Amino acid sequence: MSPKPSENGMEGDDEREEESEEDNSEAEVDEEEEEDEPRLKYQRMGGSVPTLLQTDAASCIAVAERMIALGTHSGSVHILDFLGNQVKEFIAHTAAVNDLSFDIEGEYIGSCSDDGSVVISSLFTEERMKFEYHRPMKAIALDPDYARKSSRRFVTGGLAGHLYFNTKKWIGYRDQVLHSGEGPIHSVKWRTSLIAWANDAGVKVYDAANDQRITFIERPRGSPRPELLLPHLVWQDDSMLVIGWGTSVKIVSIRTHPNKGANGTFKQIQMSSLSQVDIVASFQTSYFISGIAPFGDSLVVLAYIPVEEDGEKEFSSTMPSRQGNAQRPEVRVVTWNNDELATDALPINGFEHYKAKDYSLAHAPFSGSSYAGGQWAAGDEPLYYVVSPKDVVIAKPRDTEDHIAWLLQHKYHEKALAAVEAGQGRSELLDEVGSRYLDHLIVERKYAEAASLCPQLLRGSASAWERWVFHFAHLRQLPVLVPYIPTENPRLRDTAYEVALVALATNTSFHKDLLSIVKTWPPVVYSALPVISAIEPQLTTSSSTDALKEALAELYVIDGQYEKAFNLHADLMKPDIFDFIDKHNLHDGIQEKVAQLMIIDCKRAIPLFILHRDVVSPSDVVSQLMAAKKKCDYRYFLHLYLHSLFESNPHAGRDFHDMQVELYADFDAKMLLPFLRSSQHYTLEKAHEICVRRDLLREQVFILGRMGNSKQALSVIINKLGDIEEAIEFVSMQHDDDLWEELIRQCLNKPEMVGILLEHTVGNLDPLYIVNMVPNGLEIPRLRDRLVKIITDYRTETSLRHGCNDILKADCVNLLIKYHKEAKRAIYLSNEEDGSRTKRDENGVSQLSERSTSIKNMEVKSKSRGGTRCCMCFDPFSIHDVSIYVFFCCHAYHETCLRDSIDSISSKKKKPTVAHPKEDLSYYNYDNGDNDDDDDDIHDEDDARVRCILCTTAAAG
């Protein structure tokens, strides 16, 4: 199966595809070599250049900070911007332009030609100067300060072998020959005050400031003749000269020491005293050098690969090759030790027909100070221009985006991502890098790794997240992405979350993850209903798991379907189900889940069932527990439930009391007897049978007693329990004399029991009766002591009875006396205000009268013998008109009638006048119960003053 290409596509190598199968091994070697990342990137210069070179051929180039100058074989000089658009054109020469030079300001351009002329043109004015030398001129260099100095100096040279130093004097321009006699001048470069030129002998450097020649570097041995392969000079900085000649590269460091005379002129002294020249680097190459330029702390070399079979013959002619077998020129980045850092073959148009001298290399001026660690500061990268007769190619250092693109092309996605995250490129690159990285991992089937990188790569892009969510879903790999899907910042559409949850639900191995996600994700980000609809059909299949059910329960809660959630919680035996029931008031739903709730926590389930007996009846609980006999210890649960139910309401579970007897016997025998005593709803025969089967003696005694079979119960107590005291208590409670006879009869053959019976029958049975029934000769242990105790107890009992009788009689007398005193008291009922009492106080009423209160507007329904009439005048009472007295003996009088009667009796007996009756009786008025605590002395005094007339008269008679 062929590998699937990535969505972003892959760039192919057309040339490699065209190679035959025989070259496969070489292609593999080339591919390995291409693993090194290139240092430069290339593009053809566009704009006006393609049009210009259709009818002409480029011969040389010069680069300033703001523009480019291109010389042609027709003698024209074209001024271009950096995009290749023509800004200006000079028809300067009639033959090929051999060299061009800008001043440092980029205001003047100088050109030389095979027509023997040198032309210097201003780019911004109409100024133009032409100098004729009548021999082909091959090199020119303007003074860097040409525009700023009035001397307007330049140097030039050609086939005549003279190096002219032209200076403007006050009488005009004057040429000075700096050097001659060593062959044609092939190249000249000017930097600050240093002028370097190359001729057939080698390279010389002249210091214009000191007017001295500084050094001479000999021409490399074995190099082609200069007219076939030109030497190349370039100043790397103010003191570093790079020389590329044939296959040799030398880097020369020059440090000058200016030394002026007293009058300001330079002295003519030896070179060694003026400068220090060192060759800091030198190496040989395997190719011919068609151009050289600095590249930070390295070099850019335009390499021409000679055809091996031609050898030296290649340089036998200056005419282009007609065979068309030349190789592509290469741009190589090398160190000063000739270590190759990068090699790029250039697809120059017509390269098959070009020689080494047909190419040239120029670079834009740059400081190089921004170069550090192999990277250039933005805006300060050097530009390199590779010129061939019909093409101009621009090379520049690869930036971060190029670096990232190369990493992606070679599938170094991790490094590309690290570079983007380090801020080495546009932020928009992260999306592209992330997308291609994820594509790569998907193709490699590394789904988990791709999913883990999504938060880092997709960041806050909701659209990107949604795109990859659906892409993973299409690949059936969405479950691995779900844990990384964000729920906020960004928040995706509901559909994305729902698709993710459904993907987890449909894969049994991710059901636990589904549960975790449902608990973690906010419910507001998705709709639970679609997920519920996808999960519900799985509950009846083999793919159903507890985790899936629990997740579905959580979704039911989110959707408000609490009853369904409760059913699932019950099936899953969730311990927190009781809190869930209380929280959502689901007591109506517990009817069908009795067994599950009891198994989960019977201590909480039982009070719940009892509290909601109207929802789940005892019969429901019992039936469901019995139906679950294979799942749990249903009889123990029944015991706990029925016991709690009985304690709550003894009659609520009466239908199951027979069952409860057996459950008590099995699980809590000590509670059986209290239950038998409290309940009236069990079958005595069944209960007795259960107790007999389990040998529960006291329970048998109680049941036999309730059944009326007291003698059998007594037999159990005596013969099986052997507890005579309990037997005596049992017989005492039955109040049956025959049972006493039976007790005595059964104890007669047991001496110890006879003794105990004698001790405990005092008060219930005559001990002499028992003694008379004891067979002669029966030895009773401790009989004497027990008889003494019987007599002592009898005497004590008799004494207690007499004492109790005396106390009872005394209490009766005291109570009668108290009742008599109370009966003599009266209640005064009046409608008068408190002012009447104040008036009586002024007449010397006693302290008792001050405590009386008037009861106003009260109807009195008298129970006196006179009905509602006065017992003296027999007139009816009218509470609103007159005051009355009512006594506890049930007699009532008008106030006036009682006063007259008391006065009459007092006068007959000649007793002292007593206080006003109304005042005397004020004590008996209602006083909120405070009068109940008065002393008896006060009562006696009151009794002496007030009497019921009828009762007093009757007592006296």
Side-chain angles (χ1 to χ4, degrees):
M1 182 176 179
S2 60
K4 180 180 177 181
S6 71
E7 295 179 3
N8 295 328
M10 298 292 291
E11 294 182 3
D13 190 338
D14 296 337
E15 188 172 326
R16 190 162 294 157
E17 292 177 357
E18 295 174 357
E19 292 180 352
S20 63
E21 296 181 358
E22 297 177 357
D23 297 332
N24 284 342
S25 60
E26 296 180 2
E28 292 177 0
V29 174
D30 294 340
E31 186 175 359
E32 292 178 359
E33 294 177 355
E34 290 178 357
E35 290 299 320
D36 293 333
E37 182 180 357
R39 297 296 183 95
L40 301 171
K41 60 181 178 180
Y42 307 91
Q43 68 181 47
R44 282 187 170 84
M45 181 175 284
S48 305
V49 172
T51 304
L52 294 176
L53 298 184
Q54 283 181 356
T55 58
D56 204 348
S59 58
C60 57
I61 191 171
V63 184
E65 290 187 357
R66 293 176 289 178
M67 62 196 69
I68 301 170
L70 182 66
T72 65
H73 284 276
S74 65
S76 299
V77 177
H78 301 279
I79 306 300
L80 311 172
D81 61 18
F82 287 101
L83 298 178
N85 300 309
Q86 181 171 294
V87 177
K88 185 177 287 189
E89 180 183 5
F90 300 105
I91 309 299
H93 305 280
T94 58
V97 179
N98 292 322
D99 196 11
L100 295 170
S101 176
F102 281 103
D103 68 330
I104 196 171
E105 299 293 336
E107 296 184 7
Y108 289 88
I109 179 70
S111 61
C112 64
S113 172
D114 283 342
D115 64 0
S117 64
V118 171
V119 177
I120 300 176
S121 303
S122 172
L123 299 177
F124 304 104
T125 65
E126 298 298 327
E127 182 181 357
R128 183 178 179 185
M129 291 161 289
K130 186 174 183 179
F131 303 89
E132 292 288 349
Y133 292 95
H134 308 292
R135 291 291 300 274
M137 305 303 289
K138 297 296 184 180
I140 185 174
L142 298 184
D143 183 356
D145 296 327
Y146 185 90
R148 290 180 290 191
K149 292 183 177 180
S150 60
S151 59
R152 301 299 175 94
R153 298 180 298 178
F154 68 89
V155 291
T156 184
L159 294 182
H162 300 294
L163 179 66
Y164 297 101
F165 185 78
N166 188 284
T167 306
K168 183 180 180 181
K169 302 294 185 178
W170 65 276
I171 57 174
Y173 290 93
R174 177 174 176 269
D175 282 324
Q176 176 186 353
V177 177
L178 293 181
H179 183 75
S180 63
E182 292 183 352
I185 305 298
H186 303 292
S187 177
V188 60
K189 300 296 178 183
W190 192 336
R191 182 71 175 251
T192 60
S193 63
L194 300 178
I195 302 173
W197 70 93
N199 54 25
D200 288 347
V203 177
K204 296 179 173 60
V205 179
Y206 172 79
D207 186 355
N210 295 323
D211 193 20
Q212 288 292 323
R213 192 174 65 186
I214 296 176
T215 186
F216 167 71
I217 298 97
E218 186 179 2
R219 170 185 169 182
R221 295 180 182 180
S223 62
R225 297 191 306 275
E227 61 268 18
L228 299 179
L229 183 60
L230 296 175
H232 300 278
L233 307 178
V234 60
W235 288 100
Q236 179 163 327
D237 54 34
D238 292 346
S239 60
M240 195 75 68
L241 178 64
V242 180
I243 304 170
W245 199 330
T247 60
S248 173
V249 175
K250 293 182 179 180
I251 302 174
V252 181
S253 175
I254 304 172
R255 290 192 291 270
T256 61
H257 303 282
N259 193 345
K260 293 186 179 181
N263 57 358
T265 60
F266 290 98
K267 294 182 179 180
Q268 300 292 329
I269 58 178
Q270 296 181 357
M271 289 186 294
S272 59
S273 63
L274 290 175
S275 62
Q276 180 178 349
V277 179
D278 297 316
I279 297 179
V280 296
S282 176
F283 58 86
Q284 294 292 123
T285 65
S286 60
Y287 48 82
F288 294 120
I289 300 171
S290 295
I292 195 167
F295 183 76
D297 54 1
S298 304
L299 297 174
V300 173
V301 179
L302 180 58
Y304 180 85
I305 310 301
V307 180
E308 295 180 0
E309 59 268 19
D310 289 349
E312 183 67 22
K313 295 179 181 179
E314 183 182 3
F315 299 95
S316 61
S317 173
T318 60
M319 297 297 294
S321 173
R322 298 298 181 185
Q323 298 178 0
N325 58 355
Q327 298 188 33
R328 290 182 178 183
E330 295 180 354
V331 173
R332 301 194 179 192
V333 180
V334 299
T335 65
W336 288 5
N337 296 324
N338 197 26
D339 296 328
E340 290 191 3
L341 304 178
T343 300
D344 301 308
L346 301 181
I348 299 294
N349 292 330
F351 68 89
E352 302 91 344
H353 307 287
Y354 296 145
K355 299 293 185 180
K357 65 177 300 184
D358 294 328
Y359 298 104
S360 60
L361 174 67
H363 71 282
F366 66 98
S367 63
S369 60
S370 63
Y371 180 79
Q375 296 294 328
W376 298 88
D380 199 24
E381 306 93 338
L383 295 177
Y384 301 91
Y385 297 87
V386 178
V387 179
S388 69
K390 293 293 183 180
D391 213 351
V392 178
V393 175
I394 303 174
K396 59 182 177 181
R398 296 170 61 87
D399 55 21
T400 303
E401 295 184 14
D402 299 317
H403 171 62
I404 293 171
W406 184 86
L407 292 173
L408 291 175
Q409 182 180 359
H410 291 78
K411 299 183 180 181
Y412 299 137
H413 297 90
E414 297 88 346
K415 294 181 180 179
L417 179 61
V420 174
E421 290 181 340
Q424 299 179 5
R426 294 178 291 109
S427 59
E428 295 81 0
L429 278 177
L430 183 58
D431 297 333
E432 179 184 354
V433 172
S435 179
R436 295 187 63 174
Y437 192 7
L438 293 177
D439 284 335
H440 167 71
L441 293 174
I442 294 298
V443 171
E444 297 291 329
R445 299 182 182 274
K446 298 179 180 179
Y447 302 112
E449 184 179 353
S452 65
L453 288 172
C454 282
Q456 178 183 358
L457 301 179
L458 305 182
R459 297 174 298 165
S461 175
S463 59
W465 270 107
E466 291 173 1
R467 183 172 67 253
W468 280 102
V469 165
F470 291 114
H471 187 51
F472 271 80
H474 176 71
L475 297 172
R476 299 179 183 273
Q477 296 295 329
L478 187 53
V480 300
L481 179 64
V482 172
Y484 305 101
I485 297 177
T487 56
E488 59 180 0
N489 298 326
R491 175 178 170 180
L492 313 184
R493 289 180 295 170
D494 296 354
T495 308
Y497 298 109
E498 293 161 9
V499 168
L501 293 175
V502 171
L504 293 176
T506 53
N507 192 327
T508 56
S509 60
F510 291 99
H511 285 176
K512 292 184 179 180
D513 295 330
L514 172 64
L515 176 60
S516 175
I517 291 298
V518 169
K519 290 182 177 180
T520 304
W521 279 0
V524 296
V525 302
Y526 62 93
S527 175
L529 193 57
V531 187
I532 292 173
S533 300
I535 295 177
E536 284 179 338
Q538 299 185 52
L539 296 182
T540 57
T541 65
S542 59
S543 62
S544 177
T545 62
D546 289 346
L548 181 65
K549 292 179 180 179
E550 187 174 354
L552 181 58
E554 295 291 337
L555 291 170
Y556 278 143
V557 172
I558 293 172
D559 198 47
Q561 302 182 47
Y562 302 114
E563 296 80 4
K564 293 184 178 180
F566 164 73
N567 292 332
L568 288 174
H569 280 309
D571 294 340
L572 294 170
M573 304 294 181
K574 300 294 291 182
D576 58 350
I577 190 172
F578 298 97
D579 297 330
F580 185 79
I581 292 172
D582 295 335
K583 180 179 180 180
H584 300 290
N585 194 23
L586 299 174
H587 304 100
D588 294 340
I590 65 177
Q591 184 176 6
E592 302 298 330
K593 301 296 180 182
V594 172
Q596 291 91 328
L597 294 177
M598 288 291 289
I599 294 173
I600 293 171
D601 191 347
C602 60
K603 293 182 180 180
R604 297 191 65 179
I606 290 172
L608 184 65
F609 296 149
I610 295 174
L611 182 62
H612 298 279
R613 289 198 303 273
D614 54 334
V615 176
V616 53
S617 64
S619 59
D620 292 333
V621 176
V622 172
S623 61
Q624 290 189 47
L625 287 177
M626 294 183 69
K629 60 177 63 178
K630 295 182 179 180
K631 300 179 181 179
C632 61
D633 188 359
Y634 76 101
R635 296 188 74 254
Y636 179 68
F637 287 155
L638 282 172
H639 163 66
L640 295 178
Y641 170 72
L642 292 175
H643 172 69
S644 299
L645 180 64
F646 182 77
E647 289 185 337
S648 174
N649 186 345
H651 306 289
R654 59 180 176 271
D655 296 337
F656 307 103
H657 281 196
D658 285 333
M659 179 191 297
Q660 200 166 356
V661 171
E662 186 173 3
L663 294 173
Y664 273 125
D666 289 341
F667 296 104
D668 196 357
K670 66 180 181 180
M671 294 298 298
L672 177 57
L673 187 58
F675 172 75
L676 295 173
R677 290 172 177 170
S678 302
S679 174
Q680 303 293 330
H681 304 292
Y682 58 88
T683 304
L684 295 175
E685 291 77 7
K686 292 182 179 179
H688 180 260
E689 181 183 353
I690 293 170
C691 292
V692 171
R693 191 163 58 246
R694 289 168 175 74
D695 198 25
L696 301 174
L697 300 178
R698 285 183 171 80
E699 289 77 6
Q700 293 181 41
V701 170
F702 176 79
I703 295 172
L704 290 171
R706 178 168 283 189
M707 293 170 65
N709 197 347
S710 301
K711 291 183 178 181
Q712 185 178 353
L714 184 60
S715 176
V716 172
I717 295 174
I718 294 175
N719 298 321
K720 295 184 178 181
L721 287 175
D723 192 344
I724 185 62
E725 294 181 2
E726 184 174 345
I728 295 170
E729 181 181 357
F730 175 76
V731 174
S732 299
M733 293 175 60
Q734 301 299 319
H735 304 289
D736 187 353
D737 294 338
D738 294 337
L739 199 58
W740 280 108
E741 295 286 346
E742 179 66 22
L743 173 61
I744 294 171
R745 186 181 62 78
Q746 294 192 22
C747 291
L748 290 178
N749 297 326
K750 300 178 177 62
E752 182 64 32
M753 287 190 177
V754 173
I756 296 174
L757 184 62
L758 289 172
E759 290 182 12
H760 292 83
T761 54
V762 178
N764 295 314
L765 193 65
D766 188 358
L768 293 178
Y769 178 76
I770 300 173
V771 171
N772 290 330
M773 293 185 65
V774 174
N776 294 329
L778 181 66
E779 293 185 3
I780 300 174
R782 298 186 292 111
L783 178 60
R784 185 184 63 180
D785 296 338
R786 285 173 172 166
L787 290 175
V788 172
K789 183 177 183 301
I790 291 172
I791 295 170
T792 303
D793 291 345
Y794 183 78
R795 288 177 178 174
T796 303
E797 182 182 355
T798 303
S799 176
L800 288 174
R801 287 180 180 176
H802 288 306
C804 289
N805 287 334
D806 293 342
I807 293 171
L808 180 62
K809 292 176 182 179
D811 288 344
C812 290
V813 171
N814 291 335
L815 289 174
L816 286 173
I817 293 172
K818 185 175 181 180
Y819 174 73
H820 180 259
K821 289 181 179 181
E822 292 293 336
K824 293 191 297 182
R825 297 179 182 178
I827 298 176
Y828 176 66
L829 305 175
S830 174
N831 62 350
E832 296 181 359
E833 300 295 337
D834 293 338
S836 63
R837 290 199 300 273
T838 304
K839 182 178 180 181
R840 289 195 297 273
D841 291 340
E842 295 174 357
N843 296 328
V845 181
S846 66
Q847 183 180 1
L848 294 175
S849 64
E850 295 176 1
R851 298 167 57 190
S852 64
T853 59
S854 299
I855 303 175
K856 300 181 289 184
N857 301 327
M858 176 182 292
E859 284 190 24
V860 178
K861 185 175 181 180
S862 178
K863 294 183 180 180
S864 64
R865 296 186 184 94
T868 58
R869 296 177 181 272
C870 175
C871 292
M872 295 297 295
C873 65
F874 300 102
D875 291 335
F877 291 125
S878 177
I879 192 66
H880 298 291
D881 296 334
V882 296
S883 300
I884 64 174
Y885 286 97
V886 179
F887 289 89
F888 284 94
C889 60
C890 299
H891 295 136
Y893 305 90
H894 288 111
E895 180 184 3
T896 55
C897 296
L898 183 61
R899 185 187 306 166
D900 293 340
S901 298
I902 292 175
D903 291 342
S904 176
I905 294 173
S906 299
S907 62
K908 289 180 181 181
K909 294 183 178 182
K910 297 180 181 180
K911 289 185 178 181
T913 303
V914 297
H916 195 283
K918 182 177 179 181
E919 299 170 2
D920 295 338
L921 297 177
S922 62
Y923 172 74
Y924 301 100
N925 295 344
Y926 283 117
D927 194 19
N928 297 328
D930 294 337
N931 296 337
D932 293 341
D933 297 331
D934 291 343
D935 296 333
D936 290 340
D937 294 340
I938 298 175
H939 294 169
D940 294 340
E941 182 181 355
D942 191 33
D943 292 342
R945 297 176 181 178
V946 180
R947 298 285 190 278
C948 172
I949 299 301
L950 295 179
C951 294
T952 303
T953 305

